[in-house]
Amino acid sequence: MMKLGELAGSGALGRHASDGLYFRTGPFVTRLETAYPPVLDLLARFYGETEVFPDPVIASFNVAIRRPLGPRRWWRAQALFAIEDTLPFEPYPLSHAYPLLEWGLNWSIATRSNHFLMLHAAALERGGRALLMPATPGSGKSTLGAALAFRGWRLLSDEFGLIERASGRVAPLPRAIPLKNRSIPVIRDYLPEAELGPEFEKTRKGTVAHVRPPDDCIRRQTETAAPAWIVFPRYIAGHPTNLRPIPKGLAFVRLAQNSFNYRVLGRVGFQHLTDLIRRCACYSVEYSDLDSVIAALGDMTAAPGPEVP
Amino acid sequence: MSPLLRLFARPETAPHLSPTEWNLVLRAGHSQHLLARLGFRLEAHGVADACPRAAWDALEGARYFAELIQVQVAREVRAIRKALAPLGTEVILLKGAAYQLAGLPLSLGRHASDLDVLVQREQLAAVEARLLASGWEATKLNAYDQRYYRTWMHEIPPLRHRDRDIEVDVHHALLPLTSRLHPDPALLWAESVPLDRPGLRVLDPCDMLLHTAAHLFQDGEVKDGVKDLLDIQGQLEAFADQTDFYPRLLERARRLELGRPLYYALTFAHLMLEVPVPQGVLAEVRAFGPGPLADALMRRLVTRVLDPHYPLRREPVIAQWLLYARSHWLRMPPGLLTGHLSRKAWLRLTERPGHPVARPPSQGGDDPLA
């Protein structure tokens, strides 16, 4: 198996990427075309352990980061994200080419991958069982997810709870974790061992910096996990940790609202979401202190599971 | 022939495709919104299980969005039927809605973009008033567009219900009033077939196919017509076994003045999708065709433009432009055309430019980037 990191630094990566670099992204293979080296450098730095394919394989997404022809190639230079022959987004400043690739890939996954029930959630694994944390606004899910990923949990995904429709299991999609604004100093302070990429300023979401995913979660990116817990986190400054079971009906409704394709899947989506909720213990947690919420989640995994309607 | 069309023509070759060929099929199929259809076709030919897993995931996954739109189309049809019930008027469903509600296999996985219906011209004003009173709104409010539709077109300006996403095109004829061909709507109504829901009809199978042919080769610029060509393939497969189908088809083409579009439809379905049209029929329909020079040119242009060869070579820009020019030429007389195009050019110069970036259809879920 060839790894992305092995191609980096030798010029081989650039040669591959100019006529299509095939690399693994969790359950998917992405084909990337780009002639812009900084994007490749960062990709290799974050995903050095990911598998690359020297010969063409069937790719789920065929994407490119290009520079426009015409004046904007050089004057206030721009970058374009293309999937197949369409450009789903407005051009970005060239200096934001890397976040554009990450966003574009997320968009591509979310609009196409209907062989999964796709939840907008962070997912982590411990002892073969998966924790799903839906991304309600203000939840602090990326910060909490990043913290857990370095405190005894395996990061499955920061953005996607991918439920395999055939098995009901959670498929990993480990990617660099984009931290926004105030989360960046929080994580720098809390996780000195975590490696952060460059800070991209003045993006659509303010300043963004990516946490490099732990190598182990990339190496195990095809290893699925059984869903066991659904926890709706909510960050409230100064609030003590309060983890408590919630009714499954409520969890269902809130999860349906935090899904990328629940509506598109129709009846199939309803069936899979119902199955998922039945299998999982459902909680909500308010928190402000990371140590304390991590401890509470650890206790939760030891408990037999709550009795709730 | 591109790998995508070859697979539509010969589904049984699916197990032998290389990863590179699959990638070409998937890329072109995504771009043209044809993957869901292809998946159903492969399944019907018993080769779904022989497809590589990654390819099948893409083909199967594409179904849900097509099905979601079909649910919306069915709901829109119910709403229209309800709104028009007090008038006691009937509508003929056209194109996608017709295939869907008539239960034709070709509607499986077919992406509808809007809902087309035909009403009697004398009832047009009443129908429009009724729809406007029931929550539908005109989507084109510019005075020139309004006049353009009402004076020259075969439909009123598109409507959309204020609570829903489907565009409804209400037609009173199959081709623009200014077109060189004038299929008589009275003939279509006379042969139309009632559906099991009162108030709804579909065209007679021959007329249905002739309408698709007219839409592709007479009314449109052909460019995005691979979907229409597949509709023609699907209808030929569904109808060809009916007794006397081809003789009737030729006879209806003559009566409806749609011989030329039928010539192109049968010729290109045969040429590009290997549809087994009997040799005798191909010879007979040749009488509707153009002279040898125009015929040779059309064969060259249409095969280049219709076949989604993406992304192997540059877009066939010149061929596309020639067919675009042809479509306008067929749509209206030269004087009117010059006036219309200058008017459009003037509006483009003076109006504020719109959003330049095309967006693929969203799945209606959350925006992961929001």
Side-chain angles (χ1 to χ4, degrees):
Chain A
M1 183 178 104
M2 196 194 284
K3 291 179 178 176
L4 186 56
E6 293 164 13
L7 283 181
S10 62
L13 186 55
R15 280 199 301 281
H16 269 270
S18 55
D19 49 56
L21 174 72
Y22 293 83
F23 64 97
R24 176 163 294 289
T25 321
F28 311 109
V29 173
T30 302
R31 179 180 181 275
L32 169 68
E33 246 180 73
T34 187
Y36 187 57
V39 164
L40 291 172
D41 293 345
L42 212 46
L43 196 74
R45 185 172 148 202
F46 287 153
Y47 306 109
E49 289 294 305
T50 207
E51 183 177 11
V52 289
F53 302 87
D55 298 315
V57 286
I58 296 176
S60 303
F61 314 106
N62 180 65
V63 303
I65 292 288
R66 297 201 187 107
R67 299 174 63 179
L69 301 170
R72 298 311 286 269
R73 193 175 180 83
W74 305 112
W75 176 70
R76 300 168 80 178
Q78 291 180 329
L80 300 168
F81 174 83
I83 175 155
E84 321 306 348
D85 57 356
T86 54
L87 304 171
F89 310 121
E90 302 285 344
Y92 273 43
L94 185 60
S95 55
H96 294 171
Y98 186 78
L100 175 62
L101 172 63
E102 290 279 346
W103 269 331
L105 211 45
N106 281 350
W107 183 86
S108 308
I109 293 166
T111 50
R112 280 199 183 169
S113 313
N114 290 328
H115 49 299
F116 294 99
L117 171 65
M118 288 183 280
L119 307 173
H120 190 192
L124 296 116
E125 177 261 3
R126 197 176 206 181
R129 297 194 290 169
L131 158 68
L132 293 162
M133 294 195 298
T136 44
S139 62
K141 128 211 89 130
S142 284
T143 318
L144 181 52
L148 288 169
F150 287 85
R151 291 288 183 271
W153 293 76
R154 170 166 69 112
L155 175 71
L156 298 177
S157 172
D158 169 61
E159 198 85 50
F160 287 88
L162 291 183
I163 311 300
E164 283 187 345
R165 284 179 26 214
S167 68
R169 293 172 67 82
V170 183
L173 186 69
R175 307 269 299 281
I177 304 170
L179 298 175
K180 280 139 244 163
N181 306 318
R182 283 182 306 171
S183 302
I184 300 168
V186 169
I187 288 297
R188 278 196 202 284
D189 184 49
Y190 188 76
L191 297 174
E193 70 271 42
E195 182 186 339
L196 267 66
E199 293 192 9
F200 299 96
E201 286 169 8
K202 294 183 187 161
T203 73
R204 267 171 47 182
K205 301 179 173 184
T207 301
V208 170
H210 298 82
V211 179
R212 179 179 185 273
D215 284 341
D216 179 60
C217 76
I218 301 290
R219 277 194 289 265
R220 294 167 65 193
Q221 65 177 321
T222 56
E223 212 177 284
T224 60
W229 309 280
I230 297 166
V231 177
F232 293 88
R234 189 160 160 231
Y235 173 84
I236 304 173
H239 203 284
T241 298
N242 177 18
L243 179 77
R244 60 200 152 82
I246 58 167
K248 295 206 170 189
L250 179 63
F252 180 95
V253 174
R254 294 178 68 183
L255 209 48
Q257 286 164 352
N258 278 280
S259 164
F260 294 110
N261 64 343
Y262 171 72
R263 196 169 84 94
V264 172
L265 288 176
R267 189 172 35 174
V268 168
F270 178 81
Q271 284 159 354
H272 284 90
L273 195 58
T274 318
D275 285 351
L276 176 71
I277 296 275
R278 286 215 175 100
R279 288 184 193 201
C280 289
C282 304
Y283 297 87
S284 73
V285 64
E286 287 104 42
Y287 70 98
S288 57
D289 178 61
L290 285 171
D291 279 335
S292 139
V293 67
I294 290 170
L297 292 171
D299 293 346
M300 173 191 77
T301 63
E307 288 300 320
V308 283
Chain B
M1 206 193 295
S2 68
L4 180 67
L5 280 198
R6 198 182 314 129
L7 205 46
F8 269 107
R10 295 181 225 156
E12 69 283 0
T13 61
H16 314 297
L17 258 57
S18 70
T20 303
E21 286 170 316
W22 270 116
N23 280 334
L24 293 173
V25 167
L26 296 178
R27 290 165 70 170
H30 273 301
S31 299
Q32 307 277 335
H33 302 298
L34 292 175
L35 287 185
R37 263 180 116 151
L38 181 61
F40 278 109
R41 190 164 174 83
L42 296 181
E43 202 166 61
H45 284 77
V47 288
D49 293 339
C51 295
R53 170 77 192 277
W56 184 252
D57 284 344
L59 294 165
E60 197 267 352
R63 282 179 186 181
Y64 298 91
F65 192 61
E67 280 168 8
L68 181 71
I69 302 177
Q70 292 196 357
V71 168
Q72 291 174 349
V73 166
R75 182 186 304 152
E76 198 71 18
V77 169
R78 277 198 303 276
I80 289 176
R81 196 157 67 91
K82 205 171 141 200
L84 298 185
L87 292 180
T89 174
E90 295 197 297
V91 302
I92 295 181
L93 301 175
L94 299 172
K95 295 193 275 191
Y99 313 144
Q100 184 185 327
L101 275 93
L104 296 180
L106 79 105
S107 72
L108 290 174
R110 188 181 181 281
H111 264 265
S113 42
D114 44 27
L115 171 60
D116 298 282
V117 299
L118 184 72
V119 301
Q120 310 259 22
R121 195 167 186 193
E122 52 274 24
Q123 292 186 309
L124 190 63
V127 166
E128 185 177 9
R130 193 70 207 126
L131 291 177
L132 289 173
S134 315
W136 279 267
E137 295 165 344
T139 60
K140 304 220 170 177
L141 295 169
N142 158 334
Y144 179 73
D145 282 337
Q146 286 280 340
R147 189 161 68 89
Y148 170 84
Y149 274 93
R150 292 184 194 281
T151 321
W152 295 318
M153 285 298 109
H154 48 316
E155 57 185 311
I156 59 173
L159 299 172
R160 181 181 291 129
H161 193 279
R162 58 172 173 256
D163 301 333
R164 295 188 293 267
D165 293 333
I166 299 271
E167 184 176 296
V168 180
D169 295 332
V170 181
H171 302 250
H172 53 81
L174 292 192
L175 288 174
L177 302 176
T178 51
S179 170
R180 296 170 186 220
L181 306 180
H182 304 95
D184 181 358
L187 296 174
L188 302 170
W189 280 97
E191 293 293 312
S192 66
V193 185
L195 289 177
D196 52 8
R197 273 145 285 197
L200 298 179
R201 305 181 79 87
V202 293
L203 294 172
D204 160 86
C206 293
D207 297 358
M208 200 186 268
L209 191 130
L210 289 167
H211 177 218
T212 314
H215 180 71
L216 174 56
F217 291 109
Q218 189 71 25
D219 192 26
E221 49 189 287
V222 182
K223 184 171 151 233
D224 295 316
V226 62
K227 173 174 160 186
D228 296 311
L229 192 68
L230 291 169
D231 288 346
I232 289 167
Q233 175 198 42
Q235 288 174 74
L236 288 170
E237 287 176 353
F239 303 144
D241 292 339
Q242 297 176 357
T243 30
D244 290 336
F245 173 73
Y246 280 113
R248 257 200 92 228
L249 183 62
L250 293 168
E251 173 51 29
R252 287 301 285 178
R254 217 166 275 129
R255 292 201 62 190
L256 289 164
E257 302 182 25
L258 294 174
R260 181 67 59 85
L262 179 64
Y263 165 72
Y264 288 132
L266 295 183
T267 304
F268 289 109
H270 178 70
L271 205 65
M272 299 179 68
L273 287 167
E274 303 178 358
V275 177
V277 182
Q279 281 304 323
V281 174
L282 285 174
E284 209 178 326
V285 81
R286 182 71 191 83
F288 293 129
L293 207 63
D295 189 50
L297 182 64
M298 275 298 275
R299 279 176 191 246
R300 219 181 133 65
L301 296 182
V302 172
T303 45
R304 271 180 71 78
V305 167
L306 263 195
D307 196 355
H309 257 291
Y310 175 84
L312 282 186
R313 45 151 212 243
R314 285 175 307 143
E315 290 244 311
V317 188
I318 296 177
Q320 281 173 1
W321 187 82
L322 286 170
L323 288 170
Y324 173 77
R326 170 185 175 272
S327 77
H328 271 77
W329 183 251
L330 293 175
R331 251 182 172 215
M332 32 181 104
L336 196 54
L337 177 60
T338 318
H340 172 62
L341 290 181
S342 359
R343 190 69 196 247
K344 277 282 188 201
W346 174 248
L347 285 176
R348 250 200 299 273
L349 282 175
T350 51
E351 274 181 0
R352 235 156 46 86
H355 235 250
V357 177
R359 283 175 188 277
S362 121
Q363 285 211 346
D366 281 358
D367 181 356
L369 320 170

